[in-house]
Amino acid sequence: QVQPIESGGGLVQAGDSLRLTCKTSGGTFSRYGMGWFRQAPGQERTFVAAITWNGARTYYADSARGRFTISREHAENTVYLQMNSLKPEDTAVYYCGVRVYGPDGNYDRAVGYDYWGQGTQVTVSS
């Protein structure tokens, strides 16, 4: 059983930075693509960023590109999301997803992920 656990969320002001962490247990982390999604109250879960199993490719939502950076550390079974220049519209619960079984591609779609963490709340005040 693969279990990702997110941490690092919090309450910050607009313009601040946060680094989210997703530590994964079970399975073989170095084989899995990883992604970050977010969900605001009353809205669907939407794509933020993703990284391939070897870190060779990264993908970003338009809203995240240029402000957020996804990275991974295989020795720690961990993927990070560095978020800079945060805006109030970034407020959401952020979820880490793990791609275990699916084919390559469609990193921006939640259906492509097989395991999810419990989420971490990010609140950005204006």
Side-chain angles (χ1 to χ4, degrees), residues 25-112:
S25 61
T28 306
F29 175 79
S30 60
R31 295 181 181 177
Y32 305 147
M34 303 290 293
W36 285 98
F37 286 68
R38 67 188 183 187
Q39 188 167 17
Q43 298 186 19
E44 295 184 352
R45 190 170 297 190
T46 59
F47 172 70
V48 177
I51 188 167
T52 54
W53 65 275
N54 59 357
R57 288 175 289 155
T58 57
Y59 306 90
Y60 294 96
D62 289 342
S63 59
R65 190 173 294 112
R67 298 188 300 128
F68 295 2
T69 302
I70 188 171
S71 61
R72 65 189 299 158
E73 176 55 61
H74 284 183
E76 298 294 329
N77 289 352
T78 298
V79 64
Y80 302 99
L81 184 68
Q82 177 66 44
M83 304 188 296
N84 299 329
S85 302
L86 283 162
K87 305 175 182 180
E89 50 264 44
D90 294 318
T91 295
V93 177
Y94 284 69
Y95 295 92
C96 173
V98 186
R99 299 167 57 96
V100 175
Y101 305 113
D104 198 17
N106 295 327
Y107 279 81
D108 60 343
R109 303 185 68 179
V111 295

Side-chain angles (χ1 to χ4, degrees), residues 2 5 8-9 13-14 16 23 37 64 77-78 82 87-88 98 112 117 120-121:
V2 178
I5 299 177
Q13 293 186 334
D16 286 350
K23 188 170 180 64
F37 286 68
N77 289 352
T78 298
Q82 177 66 44
K87 305 175 182 180
V98 186
T120 186
Q121 176 71 47

